[in-house]
């Protein structure tokens, strides 16, 4: 499946926890996509069967790269309003990421 970069990065981040190993090469990503180093307010929502399953928000204290990686893990496993995501549920989720840029909100869900 071909997903947008930030959505794929969020999936890879969750997958790191589920597989208990590092899968993301942050240095390579930062070199290839310099905008990942910018600090932009972001929200992330995880949906399962169309219902909100996890949530994360940051007001631009971290880089987009760190926000997506850490935010996905927090939304999937540490949201106080939801149970931690299971491996079988992981294959069924949709992730929505919204960046609040000076030009307006950029949002994608996949």
């Amino acid at each position: 499946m071909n997903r947008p970069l930030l959505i794929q990065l969020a999936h890879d981040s969750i997958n790191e926890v589920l597989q208990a190993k590092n899968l993301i090469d942050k240095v390579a990503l930062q070199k290839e996509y310099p905008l990942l180093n910018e600090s932009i307010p972001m929200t992330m929502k995880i949906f399962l069967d169309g219902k909100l399953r996890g949530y994360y928000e940051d007001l631009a204290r971290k880089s987009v790269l760190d926000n997506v990686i850490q935010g996905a893990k927090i939304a999937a496993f540490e949201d106080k309003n939801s149970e931690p995501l299971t491996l079988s549920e992981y294959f069924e989720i949709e992730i929505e990421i919204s960046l609040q840029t000076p030009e307006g909100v950029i949002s994608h869900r996949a």
Side-chain angles (χ1 to χ4, degrees):
M1 178 184 298
N2 190 13
R3 296 181 180 126
L5 175 65
L6 297 183
I7 299 289
Q8 183 60 53
L9 185 57
H11 275 276
D12 291 346
S13 181
I14 294 168
N15 204 10
E16 279 190 335
V17 173
L18 295 170
Q19 291 190 35
K21 65 181 183 179
N22 292 329
L23 303 170
I24 299 169
D25 184 346
K26 288 174 63 172
V27 173
L29 285 168
Q30 288 170 319
K31 285 182 182 176
E32 188 170 352
Y33 305 100
L35 287 175
L36 291 176
N37 296 311
E38 300 292 323
S39 293
I40 300 171
M42 181 195 86
T43 58
M44 181 180 300
K45 298 175 184 175
I46 296 177
F47 295 92
L48 182 64
D49 296 327
K51 296 178 183 156
L52 185 63
R53 179 56 191 270
Y55 181 82
Y56 171 80
E57 179 178 42
D58 182 80
L59 301 175
R61 292 181 293 256
K62 299 180 214 120
S63 70
V64 171
L65 180 62
D66 287 338
N67 243 338
V68 172
I69 291 171
Q70 294 171 6
K73 292 174 182 176
I74 290 168
F77 304 109
E78 298 176 27
D79 185 328
K80 294 177 175 116
N81 297 312
S82 299
E83 292 293 317
L85 199 65
T86 65
L87 179 60
S88 62
E89 290 171 332
Y90 166 73
F91 294 108
E92 304 297 323
I93 64 169
E94 282 187 299
I95 297 175
E96 179 180 284
I97 296 175
S98 298
L99 300 174
Q100 296 153 15
T101 71
E103 294 79 27
V105 176
I106 299 170
S107 185
H108 194 81
R109 180 172 169 171

